[in-house]
Amino acid sequence: MKKNITVLRGDGIGPEIVNEAIKVLDRVAEIYGHEFVYTDVLMGGCSIDKYGVPITEEGIEKCKSSDSVLLGAVGGPKWDNVEPSKRPEKALLRVRKELNLFANLRPTKLFKQVCEASPLKKEIVENGIDLLIVRELTGGIYFGKRSTSEVNGETVATDEMSYSYSEIERIGRVAFETAMKRNKKLASVDKANVLDSSRLWRKVMHELSKEYPEVEYTDALVDSTAMQLIKNPGQFDVIVTENMFGDILSDEASMLTGSLGMMPSASLSDTTLGMYEPIHGSAPDIAGLDIANPLGTILSAAMMLRYSFDMMKEADAIEQAVSDVLDAGYRTGDIMQEGMIRVGCKAMGDAVAAALR
Ligand code: NAD
């Protein structure tokens, strides 16, 4: 199969970690007989420096016309003081909007080989954590009307949270389909004991659940889910929730692993076009030192194969290669443990590419 991939290397460690993901993708192409064609587009600080904007219109068009987008990370102190409309993260929001990326998938997988990195007690995590949060990304309170006004002599600020039936239905469908590809277990998280938008959310999810009788479906309240994620994270498989709850819960879940550098993510649209990126930022403190952990980006590339290209075997092979490399004792500095083999970014990419079969 031939696939066109737009590559947004970005800033800081972005170019280094993306290089390693491409190294692994090229090896996949070689083994499985695919062709991946890469087109580079500048996004973030690097684009501000060259074009005065965080991404050009031409760059957006290239993303739209490709089969998938792979992103490193954007931003850094050099661009912290540029005017707000031109900041690096504006490009990220723009791409999400232009590509209609309404579903954010964030897996939290604690590889048993690095379970000591988890801040949770060993007895809670020793059986591993393997859950996936499906977060609605383009609706809810972050996109609602907001206002600040003077009422009876004091300042009042308001943020509106609204969801339509169809917005809930399309993210619900992504969640049920994702659950079907995993362990057929889905928890829908809301605050239906208080919020109208959550009551509609729950109603739509219940209706959808009838279409997916094989999926074991449960409702959960967001406050109790926040607690259960710490108490017994192993109980979850797929979680679906609205934008703000998902923002908070996915950050909480990613901390359960203690290894920011290893966490991938996917943002999906209602076509096969998606954007794939590690959850961490551009880590300017370690940029250019060849010490960044490329595994989050490599695992994001695996998600690209699974969700955009329907290449299940190939995605599984990358995830297995990462696990094998960890078994063999290879560690970048951020996940280093006593007795293990410390490697840099490039050497970690080489090891994963070599472990692929
Ligand atoms: P960060 O995630 O870049 O770094 C936090 C800490 O984790 C740093 O100590 C860093 O060295 C370390 N770290 C991150 N990724 C690592 C990796 N792969 N390997 C080893 N160590 C790693 O967060 P920050 O410092 O708050 O932000 C830095 C810049 O990144 C800011 O400009 C921020 O706006 C931007 N940012 C971008 C994105 C994105 O592009 N999606 C996301 C978050 C932050």
Side-chain angles (χ1 to χ4, degrees):
M1 235 188 269
K2 180 178 173 183
K3 294 288 177 190
N4 294 308
I5 303 170
T6 298
V7 180
L8 307 167
R9 291 169 201 264
D11 308 310
I13 60 170
E16 299 165 55
I17 53 179
V18 167
N19 279 347
E20 301 316 307
I22 289 180
K23 190 183 281 174
V24 171
L25 282 172
D26 283 344
R27 183 76 188 118
V28 167
E30 209 175 284
I31 297 173
Y32 291 88
H34 301 303
E35 188 186 351
F36 298 133
V37 180
Y38 310 100
T39 305
D40 266 288
V41 166
L42 292 183
M43 180 167 101
C46 54
S47 175
I48 297 176
D49 287 350
K50 184 150 186 199
Y51 302 115
V53 288
I55 188 162
T56 61
E57 295 307 314
E58 196 196 351
I60 296 273
E61 287 312 311
K62 283 198 175 133
C63 291
K64 277 184 172 171
S65 62
S66 61
D67 294 311
S68 189
V69 180
L70 181 66
L71 165 67
V74 294
K78 184 177 171 196
W79 305 282
D80 276 351
N81 296 319
V82 300
E83 82 166 82
S85 69
K86 293 200 174 137
R87 287 180 57 89
E89 54 271 32
K90 280 283 172 197
L92 204 53
L93 295 177
R94 174 94 197 276
V95 172
R96 282 183 186 153
K97 187 161 171 268
E98 294 280 346
L99 271 56
N100 194 21
L101 303 174
F102 66 88
N104 185 228
L105 270 56
R106 265 173 63 165
T108 293
K109 184 164 174 162
L110 180 62
F111 285 86
K112 61 180 187 318
Q113 302 92 329
V114 290
C115 87
E116 278 155 38
S118 172
L120 297 186
K121 285 190 187 138
K122 190 165 178 253
E123 59 263 34
I124 298 179
V125 296
E126 64 192 353
N127 292 328
I129 302 172
D130 188 0
L131 61 91
L132 188 151
I133 296 183
V134 178
R135 167 188 168 195
E136 202 289 327
L137 205 56
T138 54
I141 199 163
Y142 296 163
F143 289 84
K145 280 191 211 128
R146 54 187 106 257
S147 65
T148 304
S149 55
E150 295 299 313
V151 179
N152 298 332
E154 67 172 333
T155 309
V156 176
T158 307
D159 297 285
E160 193 177 274
M161 177 159 169
S162 107
Y163 268 106
S164 66
Y165 191 103
S166 57
E167 279 176 310
I168 302 170
E169 191 185 22
R170 69 177 183 174
I171 188 74
R173 213 168 273 291
V174 170
F176 277 99
E177 291 292 335
T178 306
M180 287 296 287
K181 287 184 184 167
R182 290 175 48 107
N183 294 323
K184 301 192 169 85
K185 198 174 162 201
L186 175 67
S188 168
V189 173
D190 59 38
K191 188 71 185 166
N193 52 344
V194 180
L195 303 175
D196 262 11
S197 55
S198 281
R199 283 191 271 271
L200 178 61
W201 181 278
R202 199 173 272 208
K203 178 172 181 277
V204 178
M205 291 295 164
H206 281 205
E207 282 172 17
L208 274 174
S209 73
K210 292 183 197 133
E211 290 181 38
Y212 296 89
E214 283 174 67
V215 175
E216 183 195 325
Y217 172 86
T218 47
D219 299 306
L221 292 172
V222 62
D223 40 351
S224 126
T225 305
M227 193 178 71
Q228 290 296 332
L229 272 173
I230 304 292
K231 198 172 162 205
N232 179 15
Q235 71 184 285
F236 295 107
D237 191 52
V238 180
I239 291 175
V240 61
T241 191
E242 64 88 45
N243 203 342
M244 182 171 62
F245 298 160
D247 191 6
I248 298 167
L249 292 180
S250 58
D251 266 19
E252 182 190 354
S254 66
M255 276 316 295
L256 302 177
T257 69
S259 40
L260 192 63
M262 291 183 56
M263 294 295 112
S265 80
S267 299
L268 308 180
S269 65
D270 44 19
T271 70
T272 53
L273 176 58
M275 181 160 80
Y276 300 84
E277 59 180 307
I279 68 162
H280 57 74
S282 60
D285 52 332
I286 58 167
L289 302 178
D290 189 34
I291 57 173
N293 187 343
L295 294 179
T297 318
I298 291 172
L299 291 167
S300 300
M303 292 187 85
M304 179 168 83
L305 300 185
R306 178 172 295 121
Y307 293 104
S308 279
F309 303 162
D310 211 24
M311 296 179 181
M312 304 298 174
K313 277 197 316 281
E314 293 84 337
D316 290 347
I318 294 182
E319 285 161 4
Q320 187 58 49
V322 168
S323 185
D324 290 349
V325 161
L326 293 172
D327 272 339
Y330 293 101
R331 302 284 187 275
T332 43
D334 58 318
I335 51 171
M336 186 58 193
Q337 295 155 290
E338 220 183 300
M340 298 294 148
I341 309 156
R342 184 187 283 267
V343 291
C345 183
K346 281 195 195 119
M348 186 58 111
D350 287 343
V352 176
L356 269 169
R357 57 183 89 87

